[in-house]
């Protein structure tokens, strides 16, 4: 493992506020491996990845990057980066294998050891309770479209908080519930692979309810200063033109892509236009009295995940003007909206590189959610990184991407957005969901044959940014 040079650098260029939280992030199924060890049972992603044709190359997370056994090595990498924070997720099927009942001691012990190692290295643990790995037994009972799953999540949140609450002071209930609901239950490209539009709307509501119930369960156990948050992948939306039809396309995607979570959590209401747009799919009778009040449990900060902007126009179908994609994640909007490729360079995911979208999103949240601190909990890019002679991994495109997006965050702070931190996605190259091991987001290169970790040039660059407290000129 290569050592990073994190010696202090002079403060030049763009300086960030004192106390700004510099971090990186991972998710349990993408890195842990040890899929059947010490009582862990299958999650929906275990089942999905073992289903032929669902994941590129037939890849699974059975081993991933073997973080379960290499955790100490990975914490040492974090320490060499100099991060103040590390955002990881707790694997629900590792600590509560059936999704109900008592916790598994060995699963909790693994998380205790990880947290203790982070604290010993001077790194603040930021624990995400759910990053898409629902215990398969709960999916077999109905999954997130079933109200009971929200109730089970609250029980699980209380168990984990009871075990780690004396060590972890920063908690997130959910990561990207939009992806879990709409990619998993409407489009079918993520676990559990269902294509049921109404089920996706039910799932979205139950994620909101579970966030509220889980927040209450956390606050009942955690010491007073502990932070509780939610992380959303909010869509930075732009109309192709300023026509009324294109602006309405933005409204439709904003309703089902953003406000379906923002309005219940921060305002205790459903978006009225979303209810109208989806009237042909559901009457929303699954929303019970008291649900929206429960969902609106106050958070200490909002996590924002951003990768690229979304350009939309009126008209059914994809950017080529063809028929609407069936199935589609855009329930209630898919017959009225088409997506237009944004101009400019693209990452290996074929996502456009446009840091202005992050600035636009942060300014919107400044205006719409006054008094709610923000953390960039994921931002990064996949490129076709390869280890060269001597194991050196040059990734100038990633450095350029991160530099531009951090500059956008700095500009948003100057414009009054209360942004408290920035976490790069991801620490390690890992199992990238339906793309398997074909896409590399990591600051650290992983040879998936040997699992050798090699910091890329971007890791050294980020360590320098942290050491100087900002961007070089």
């Amino acid at each position: 493992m290569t050592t990073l040079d994190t010696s202090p650098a002079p403060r030049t260029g763009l300086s960030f506020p004192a106390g700004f939280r510099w971090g990186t992030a991972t998710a349990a199924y993408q890195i842990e491996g040890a899929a059947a060890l010490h009582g862990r049972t299958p999650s929906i992603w275990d089942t999905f990845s073992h289903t032929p044709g669902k994941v590129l190359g037939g890849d699974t997370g059975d081993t991933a990057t073997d973080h379960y056994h290499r955790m100490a090595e990975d914490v040492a990498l974090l320490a060499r980066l100099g991060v103040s924070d590390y955002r990881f997720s707790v694997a629900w099927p590792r600590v509560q294998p059936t999704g109900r009942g008592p916790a598994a001691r060995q699963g909790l012990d693994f998380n205790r050891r990880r947290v203790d190692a982070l604290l010993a290295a001077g790194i603040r643990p930021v624990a995400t309770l759910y990053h898409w790995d629902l215990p398969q037994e709960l999916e077999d009972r109905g999954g997130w479209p079933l109200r009971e799953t929200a109730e089970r999540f609250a029980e699980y949140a209380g168990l984990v908080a009871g075990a780690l609450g004396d060590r972890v002071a920063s908690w997130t209930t959910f990561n990207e519930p939009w992806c879990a609901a709409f990619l998993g239950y409407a489009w079918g490209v993520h676990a559990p692979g269902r294509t049921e539009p109404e089920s996706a709307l039910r799932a979205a509501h139950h994620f909101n309810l579970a966030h509220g119930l889980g927040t209450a369960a956390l606050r009942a156990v955690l010491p007073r200063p502990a932070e509780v948050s939610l992380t959303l992948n909010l869509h930075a939306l732009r109309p192709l033109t300023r026509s009324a039809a294109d602006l309405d396309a933005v409204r439709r995607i904003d309703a089902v892509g953003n406000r379906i979570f923002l309005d219940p959590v921060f305002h205790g209401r459903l978006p009225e236009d979303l209810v109208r747009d989806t009237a042909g799919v559901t009457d929303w009778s699954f929303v019970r009295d008291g649900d929206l009040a429960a969902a609106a449990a106050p958070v200490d900060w909002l996590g924002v995940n951003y990768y690229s902007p979304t350009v939309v126009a009126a008209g059914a179908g994809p950017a080529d003007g063809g028929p609407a994609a069936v199935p589609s994640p855009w329930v209630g909007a898919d017959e009225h909206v088409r997506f237009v490729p944004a101009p400019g360079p693209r990452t290996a995911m074929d996502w456009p590189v446009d840091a202005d979208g992050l600035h636009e999103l942060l300014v919107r949240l400044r205006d719409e959610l006054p008094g709610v601190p923000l953390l960039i909990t994921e931002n990064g890019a996949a490129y076709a990184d390869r280890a060269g002679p001597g194991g050196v991994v040059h990734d100038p495109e990633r450095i350029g991407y991160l530099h531009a997006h951090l500059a956008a965050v700095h500009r948003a702070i100057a414009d009054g957005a209360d942004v408290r931190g920035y976490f790069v996605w991801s620490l390690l190259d890992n199992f990238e969901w339906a793309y398997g091991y074909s896409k590399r987001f990591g600051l650290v290169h992983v040879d998936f044959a040997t699992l050798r970790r090699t910091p890329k040039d971007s890791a050294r660059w980020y360590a320098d940014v942290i050491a100087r407290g900002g961007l070089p000129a």
Side-chain angles (χ1 to χ4, degrees):
M1 184 173 63
T2 306
T3 300
L4 301 178
D5 179 6
T6 59
S7 55
R11 285 182 171 270
T12 58
L14 301 178
S15 294
F16 282 73
F20 193 77
R21 295 165 68 167
W22 299 98
T24 186
T26 60
Y29 189 71
Q30 292 181 274
I31 67 167
E32 282 186 6
L37 197 63
H38 296 155
R40 183 188 181 278
T41 57
S43 73
I44 55 175
W45 267 98
D46 292 279
T47 302
F48 187 81
S49 67
H50 280 269
T51 303
K54 295 298 186 182
V55 175
L56 191 64
D59 293 338
T60 75
D62 288 359
T63 302
T65 70
D66 199 28
H67 172 76
Y68 189 81
H69 295 107
R70 297 169 180 256
M71 178 265 292
E73 179 182 1
D74 293 340
V75 172
L77 280 169
L78 290 164
R80 291 185 176 95
L81 277 172
V83 296
S84 62
D85 291 66
Y86 174 55
R87 178 176 172 252
F88 62 91
S89 77
V90 177
W92 192 345
R94 194 178 297 285
V95 303
Q96 195 186 31
T98 65
R100 55 197 303 123
R105 179 185 58 80
Q106 289 177 303
L108 288 178
D109 285 347
F110 165 71
N111 284 282
R112 289 187 181 103
R113 291 195 304 273
R114 174 163 53 185
V115 168
D116 288 346
L118 291 168
L119 293 173
I123 299 169
R124 179 191 289 111
V126 182
T128 298
L129 286 169
Y130 187 81
H131 200 131
W132 307 354
D133 48 359
L134 183 71
Q136 182 62 42
E137 185 168 321
L138 291 184
E139 173 61 25
D140 292 342
R141 295 173 63 88
W144 285 107
L146 188 70
R147 185 182 193 86
E148 181 193 0
T149 306
E151 297 164 351
R152 297 283 72 76
F153 174 80
E155 176 188 290
Y156 155 70
L159 286 175
V160 179
L164 302 180
D166 60 335
R167 298 166 168 89
V168 178
S170 192
W171 296 79
T172 300
T173 53
F174 289 97
N175 177 80
E176 298 187 357
W178 185 87
C179 291
F182 290 96
L183 302 186
Y185 288 94
W187 202 6
V189 298
H190 276 195
R194 290 160 61 176
T195 54
E196 305 161 10
E198 185 187 25
S199 293
L201 295 173
R202 287 177 176 268
H205 172 65
H206 292 141
F207 277 122
N208 287 330
L209 176 61
H211 163 71
L213 297 177
T215 297
L218 289 171
R219 296 201 189 280
V221 174
L222 296 174
R224 191 71 172 178
E227 306 170 341
V228 179
S229 65
L230 171 69
T231 285
L232 301 176
N233 60 310
L234 298 170
H235 301 81
L237 298 168
R238 297 171 181 165
L240 180 62
T241 73
R242 301 300 297 178
S243 70
D246 286 358
L247 291 172
D248 189 64
V250 168
R251 178 200 62 76
R252 287 178 178 273
I253 297 301
D254 189 52
V256 74
N258 292 334
R259 288 182 284 115
I260 192 171
F261 299 106
L262 289 173
D263 280 15
V265 171
F266 292 98
H267 305 296
R269 68 188 182 221
L270 281 173
E272 293 181 1
D273 57 333
L274 174 68
V275 174
R276 292 194 301 270
D277 291 346
T278 57
V281 179
T282 183
D283 61 4
W284 292 87
S285 58
F286 48 82
V287 180
R288 299 183 186 175
D289 289 346
D291 282 3
L292 295 173
V299 298
D300 295 293
W301 48 267
L302 173 66
V304 177
N305 291 358
Y306 173 87
Y307 293 93
S308 61
T310 302
V311 181
V312 298
D320 63 3
V326 178
S328 162
W330 304 103
V331 179
D334 45 10
E335 296 182 358
H336 305 274
V337 177
R338 63 188 178 95
F339 294 83
V340 181
R346 308 183 87 77
T347 70
M349 298 290 289
D350 199 32
W351 296 345
V353 178
D354 189 334
D356 287 342
L358 179 55
H359 176 267
E360 294 163 11
L361 184 57
L362 295 173
V363 169
R364 171 186 174 173
L365 294 171
R366 173 202 68 189
D367 295 340
E368 294 186 4
L369 302 177
V372 178
L374 308 172
L375 265 71
I376 310 303
T377 38
E378 286 185 25
N379 179 238
Y383 290 105
D385 308 318
R386 291 179 176 84
V392 175
V393 183
H394 298 303
D395 58 342
E397 291 174 308
R398 180 173 292 104
I399 292 172
Y401 179 99
L402 297 175
H403 191 290
H405 285 76
L406 272 168
V409 173
H410 189 276
R411 184 156 51 98
I413 293 172
D415 289 338
D418 186 9
V419 185
R420 305 283 181 90
Y422 176 90
F423 296 3
V424 174
W425 183 269
S426 175
L427 173 65
L428 303 168
D429 292 336
N430 54 42
F431 176 83
E432 188 49 46
W433 307 115
Y435 291 93
Y437 297 100
S438 69
K439 306 298 182 186
R440 294 180 176 272
F441 277 87
L443 295 170
V444 176
H445 180 274
V446 177
D447 181 328
F448 293 116
T450 66
L451 299 177
R452 177 181 173 82
R453 276 89 157 127
T454 303
K456 304 174 187 178
D457 285 353
S458 59
R460 296 176 175 82
W461 176 87
Y462 191 47
D464 177 67
V465 168
I466 295 169
R468 71 172 69 235
L471 293 170

